[in-house]
Amino acid sequence: QGINAEYMGQKFAFFKQSNMPARAVPAKAKSGGKGKSGKPAGRPKSAPGSKRKSKKNVRTWSLNIFKVLKQVHSDTGISNKAMNIMNSFINDIFDRLAGEGAKLAKINKTKTLSSREIQTAVRLMLPGELAKHAMSEGTKAVAKFTSA
């Protein structure tokens, strides 16, 4: 369970900064605010020592949720808070089904998570009528995917 700190130190030693001298970079002539193409330069470059905060890509189900909502109720909207709740719900169900499917794959001594494992996980995790609808929709989706 625990991670050996000495092992991790050896394993990731290559991430540490090397003792090699910095490479010399030739000084650029002033271009009067214009880039290589002669057009005005974009954003000014950040200072060499400063770290710019990069925007983290966050994957959500928002677009899919919105598309389904419009199919079911075309005149209904959804608030940001409700969208976040739906997104959390879908991520939770996804994690549960993937975990159950992984357990089933391990029991069957396979390393591939196939549609069969997911189908069984859906049968085990979802109650009654919801499982039946999920099975039919999943089967339809797999058939559409394999035919395309």
Side-chain angles (χ1 to χ4, degrees):
Q1 285 268 328
I3 297 172
N4 186 347
E6 186 179 321
Y7 170 75
M8 293 304 285
Q10 292 168 359
K11 185 87 173 164
F12 297 105
F14 60 90
F15 281 119
K16 294 180 182 173
Q17 229 175 7
S18 65
N19 295 333
M20 294 181 67
R23 195 173 59 159
V25 180
K28 292 183 180 178
K30 282 193 173 184
S31 61
K34 301 200 182 236
K36 290 180 182 178
S37 63
K39 295 178 182 174
R43 240 174 349 139
K45 301 284 186 227
S46 59
S50 68
K51 288 188 177 181
R52 193 171 67 221
K53 196 172 187 178
S54 61
K55 187 176 179 182
K56 189 177 179 185
N57 291 337
V58 179
R59 308 253 347 223
T60 64
W61 298 97
S62 302
L63 194 62
N64 305 81
I65 294 166
F66 198 76
K67 282 179 183 176
V68 171
L69 176 66
K70 289 302 167 187
Q71 284 175 358
V72 179
H73 297 287
S74 58
D75 58 336
T76 307
I78 186 166
S79 69
N80 248 352
K81 204 169 190 177
M83 185 62 82
N84 287 336
I85 291 168
M86 286 298 296
N87 195 50
S88 296
F89 171 73
I90 291 174
N91 281 329
D92 182 44
I93 295 296
F94 181 86
D95 288 342
R96 288 184 194 187
L97 289 174
E100 190 66 31
K103 285 179 195 172
L104 290 166
K106 196 172 183 180
I107 289 167
N108 294 330
K109 296 180 178 73
T110 61
K111 292 186 178 182
T112 308
L113 192 62
S114 68
S115 60
R116 188 165 184 243
E117 280 85 22
I118 298 299
Q119 197 172 34
T120 310
V122 167
R123 277 195 193 133
L124 290 169
M125 301 286 291
L126 300 179
E129 197 69 24
L130 190 59
K132 287 177 188 171
H133 282 293
M135 295 281 292
S136 65
E137 289 295 321
T139 308
K140 192 165 73 172
V142 169
K144 185 179 176 184
F145 178 76
T146 52
S147 68

